[in-house]
Amino acid sequence: MRMIKSLHRRIPGSALVLMLLAGGAAELDAQLTNASAAALGLGENHTAGARGFSAIAWNPAGLAMPDTPGGSFALLPVQLVGGLGPIGLADFKDFEGTIVPEQTKSQWYERIAAAGGEQGVAGGDVTYLALQWGRVGVQASSTARVAGVLGPGAAELLLFGNAGRTGQAGDFVLAGSSFDVAAVSTGAISYGHPVIRDAERALSLGVTLKRSVGHVLVSGRDAGSEFGSDPLAVSLDFPIIHSDTTQDASALDSGGGISLDVGAAWESGSLTAGVAVRNLVDTFAWDEDDLFFRPGVAEADDDDVTTDVDARPFSSAPQEVRDRLDDLGFSPVVAVGLGYRVSPRLLVTGDVRRNLRESVLAGPQSHVGLGAELAPLDWLPLRAGAALVTGGHLLSAGVGLRLGPVRLAASAARTDGEFGAGSVMMFTLSGGGF
């Protein structure tokens, strides 16, 4: 036990970063990824102003509004996301290659315990093509996330060893740790239809039909693991469910379904408004016949080590483990947005969104934000936005470049939410629209 205690006291800051990231791991924001860096620059407040190819994911009714372009497209926009908290990467910066002091580790543990665990998320979205022609749009994209929680007990054991914060060997309850990994691809077709269009006002309705395929799923939850010091013993209980991990290409189809988004857009003078309901109808589900269950049980003491980690059919999992699939689908999302053209060079937007049920694939449960676009020159739009999201906030900024029919946009956002602080970056090369 002295050796274990000494080992943990000598862990450098860089190693702690890696272990904390490994301890947590999945939150997918939606089936259909945001293909517009401009939308990110506005703080993701884009429901009312979505036009051209960006309307496919945000509000299909925008495809039939008077100011939507005749055609627009975006090629391979990529969005990268990541976050770690409440102990973030900035906390480790001063200890790169050095030993983290005991006082600092104690402060870190108090923050982790107050937050209910160390949480992290990482992943990326790629849109292979978003194409709008007239009132019709098509989009194909993939999204993946790795996210999870390192419980307070596990964090204390990691930071201090079995001596804990007191310096005296003790017992640890490792409850509260979990991780989820998921990857999904989606193809969509959208249509917008004008209802009213005259010189003073416009109203349109839209619909998006999506087909999603689930590629990878891995999900684990601690079910009562413990670490005992006297006598020294470890009891792990961490059941895992996962999709087929073979190299067979068919293993990348582990679930799927059809989803339907609907939307409406209104414009009168300088005011625009939009309403969208994503996943109004949703049949996405992971295929239980393609899933496996591993008990994730291990017992170790001075005399013996026993394990049970072999894969078996998902149907053999306990009911509480099978019920976990209910939280690994997509959630209906209601979004309401307003936009106001203050002047020919200044646009202000606002969004309110709500996920109707909790899901690790659904993104922040709530979003309330404002964004603005200022064009000091016709070819140079500058964007900024802010939002209150579940457990924190989002701040963003972006810049665009309009070169005839070619559009360039780059945006970055800083998030601080339920999965800690992190950054989002995105670049879009598009034509004909924004």
Side-chain angles (χ1 to χ4, degrees), residues 42-46 336-338 348-353 366-371 385-389 394:
L42 291 168
E44 298 187 338
N45 302 300
H46 200 49
V336 178
L338 291 174
V348 178
T349 65
D351 261 30
V352 176
R353 294 197 297 276
S366 63
H367 172 111
V368 180
L370 292 172
L388 297 177
V389 299
L394 178 151

Side-chain angles (χ1 to χ4, degrees), residues 181-207:
V181 180
V184 175
S185 291
T186 299
I189 181 168
S190 298
Y191 174 74
H193 186 75
V195 178
I196 298 174
R197 180 178 291 188
D198 56 37
E200 297 181 353
R201 57 185 181 166
L203 172 66
S204 65
L205 303 177
V207 61

Side-chain angles (χ1 to χ4, degrees), residues 132-276:
Q132 169 258 334
W133 188 261
R135 301 173 189 170
V136 177
V138 293
Q139 182 172 335
S141 61
S142 294
T143 185
R145 294 291 186 275
V146 180
V149 181
L150 187 68
E156 182 178 4
L157 185 63
L158 173 63
L159 289 168
F160 299 97
N162 71 319
R165 292 168 292 151
T166 64
Q168 300 295 321
D171 299 332
F172 297 85
V173 176
L174 307 182
S177 296
S178 64
F179 72 89
D180 297 288
V181 180
V184 175
S185 291
T186 299
I189 181 168
S190 298
Y191 174 74
H193 186 75
V195 178
I196 298 174
R197 180 178 291 188
D198 56 37
E200 297 181 353
R201 57 185 181 166
L203 172 66
S204 65
L205 303 177
V207 61
T208 297
L209 181 65
K210 302 176 291 187
R211 169 71 168 118
S212 297
V213 176
H215 300 310
V216 176
L217 175 68
V218 185
S219 178
R221 299 284 188 278
D222 188 275
S225 300
E226 297 181 348
F227 185 99
S229 295
D230 189 14
L232 185 63
V234 177
S235 175
L236 296 180
D237 188 359
F238 203 91
I240 295 173
I241 56 177
H242 66 88
S243 54
D244 193 347
T245 56
T246 68
Q247 298 301 311
D248 187 347
S250 64
L252 294 178
D253 184 356
S254 299
I258 300 295
S259 303
L260 186 71
D261 300 350
V262 296
W266 167 267
E267 182 177 298
S268 178
S270 299
L271 181 67
T272 59
V275 178

